[in-house]
Amino acid sequence: MSMILGFLIGINNLSGSPLPFRPVQETVIKKIKTKTNKLITISLITGSGASANTIKISTKGFLKDVPVLIKDADPFKKVLVGDLDKNGFDEIYIITQSAGSGSDETVYGYTSLKDQQLGKISIPKLTEKGYMGHDDFSLSGTVLKRSYPVYKEKEASCCPSGGSKTLTYTLKNTQLMLSK
């Protein structure tokens, strides 16, 4: 019973000391007005003792305004807005960047499903030879570009010597496709 009570009041069972309390805080990072006058709000949720980020995507004006949560995300870097499939409805690409030597960027893509609701975009995992992170994403017209330094075998992450590479992705339905 005391273990349950300790958990409920925030006592660390190993040392008996109170756990630090951080109130949950939601900070708006970006508000996006779509081409069809809908509102997409991207927020960062922090606090309650969690060290990882939660990114919240809220919509207003869609048929189903259901928030999307991206839990345990790396730190937020930027958001890109485009219409890669040229269907008249915007997509958003949230970019996060890991801490550490690799500084990998992760893309979370969501598309407006004809203003009914947001749909998740499937993004292929990168398996290119010579890839060790340090990437950067950008939009150019109707493609998503991913640029990164190329590493030769057994090269340290500080010192790439294989030049750089840029990959381009197109969007078909809700799938990003690597252009060949």
Side-chain angles (χ1 to χ4, degrees):
M1 177 71 170
S2 65
M3 214 150 106
I4 293 171
L5 183 59
F7 175 75
L8 292 175
I9 62 171
I11 300 294
N12 181 328
N13 289 324
L14 298 177
S15 68
S17 60
L19 294 172
F21 175 76
R22 295 186 334 189
V24 174
Q25 188 173 21
E26 184 171 333
T27 305
V28 172
I29 299 171
K30 181 131 181 143
K31 289 188 176 195
I32 301 160
K33 191 169 188 177
T34 69
K35 288 188 267 186
T36 58
N37 291 318
K38 308 300 184 230
L39 182 65
I40 299 173
T41 303
I42 301 168
S43 305
L44 183 62
I45 300 173
T46 58
S48 70
S51 60
N53 294 307
T54 297
I55 298 171
K56 179 180 175 185
I57 306 165
S58 305
T59 59
K60 189 169 185 182
F62 285 69
L63 184 63
K64 295 180 183 176
D65 289 322
V66 179
V68 174
L69 296 178
I70 304 169
K71 295 183 179 184
D72 300 323
D74 285 325
F76 173 85
K77 183 176 180 185
K78 62 184 173 183
V79 62
L80 305 171
V81 181
D83 184 11
L84 302 188
D85 58 3
K86 299 182 276 185
N87 69 354
F89 298 96
D90 291 322
E91 303 101 38
I92 59 169
Y93 299 92
I94 296 171
I95 315 297
T96 63
Q97 186 171 30
S98 67
S101 62
S103 299
D104 296 5
E105 290 189 359
T106 302
V107 179
Y108 300 93
Y110 293 88
T111 184
S112 168
L113 300 174
K114 299 181 181 177
D115 287 344
Q116 302 293 308
Q117 65 186 41
L118 288 181
K120 188 173 183 176
I121 295 172
S122 178
I123 300 169
K125 184 169 176 59
L126 184 59
T127 58
E128 296 283 316
K129 185 177 179 179
Y131 173 74
M132 289 178 50
H134 300 284
D135 36 5
D136 184 56
F137 287 89
S138 62
L139 290 178
S140 178
T142 59
V143 297
L144 176 68
K145 290 186 174 187
R146 178 185 215 158
S147 301
Y148 61 90
V150 177
Y151 291 83
K152 293 183 179 176
E153 195 173 328
K154 298 182 182 177
E155 212 164 33
S157 68
C158 70
C159 313
S161 64
S164 63
K165 187 168 188 174
T166 299
L167 302 175
T168 57
Y169 299 88
T170 56
L171 182 65
K172 184 166 173 95
N173 298 317
T174 58
Q175 172 75 41
L176 271 182
M177 311 290 281
L178 186 58
S179 301
K180 298 288 179 182

